[in-house]
């Protein structure tokens, strides 16, 4: 299935990273530097408005529709399987290790 088929209608999605599982490879930041960034601790975090790094545990950032494919590819390629993309409306994970 394509990303568009799995996220029909442009539903609002958000992404978060489980830093306990992050391996610090930086693949996510390579795919979507607008959304992910490595911090000084060597772990990846999501970025919020104005490129502010969100370092609180479980912090989420919206997934801009033009970057959806890059964010999904990040989740698929992440060796730590720590990137979670879920629907804002019902908090169901649609991409990542807990997606059904």
């Amino acid at each position: 299935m394509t990303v568009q088929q799995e996220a029909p209608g442009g539903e609002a999605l958000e992404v978060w990273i489980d830093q306990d599982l992050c391996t610090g490879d930086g693949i996510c930041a390579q795919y979507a530097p607008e959304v992910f960034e490595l911090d000084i601790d060597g772990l990846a975090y999501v970025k919020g408005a104005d490129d502010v790094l969100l370092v609180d545990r479980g912090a989420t950032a919206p997934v801009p529709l033009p970057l959806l494919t890059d964010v999904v590819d990040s989740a698929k390629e992440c060796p730590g399987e720590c990137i979670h993309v879920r629907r804002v409306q019902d908090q169901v994970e649609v991409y990542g290790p807990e997606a059904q």
Side-chain angles (χ1 to χ4, degrees):
M1 296 180 93
T2 67
V3 170
Q4 289 75 19
Q5 290 170 323
E6 293 175 352
E11 293 176 289
L13 299 176
E14 62 188 6
V15 61
W16 67 280
I17 296 177
D18 183 345
Q19 279 77 29
D20 291 336
L21 299 176
C22 181
T23 59
D25 286 276
I27 291 172
C28 55
Q30 291 175 13
Y31 274 105
E34 302 89 348
V35 178
F36 305 107
E37 184 176 322
L38 294 177
D39 198 12
I40 193 168
D41 62 4
L43 301 177
Y45 294 87
V46 294
K47 295 195 290 188
D50 300 324
D51 284 340
V52 173
L53 207 59
L54 304 176
V55 296
D56 293 334
R57 182 175 291 282
T60 63
V63 178
L65 193 55
L67 298 175
L68 179 57
T69 299
D70 294 335
V71 171
V72 169
D73 288 345
S74 297
K76 289 179 180 178
E77 297 297 323
C78 177
E81 296 185 347
C82 64
I83 300 173
H84 303 266
V85 181
R86 63 187 178 200
R87 289 189 301 253
V88 172
Q89 180 180 2
D90 58 10
Q91 301 292 294
V92 170
E93 187 162 319
V94 292
Y95 305 105
E98 297 173 10
Q100 297 182 9

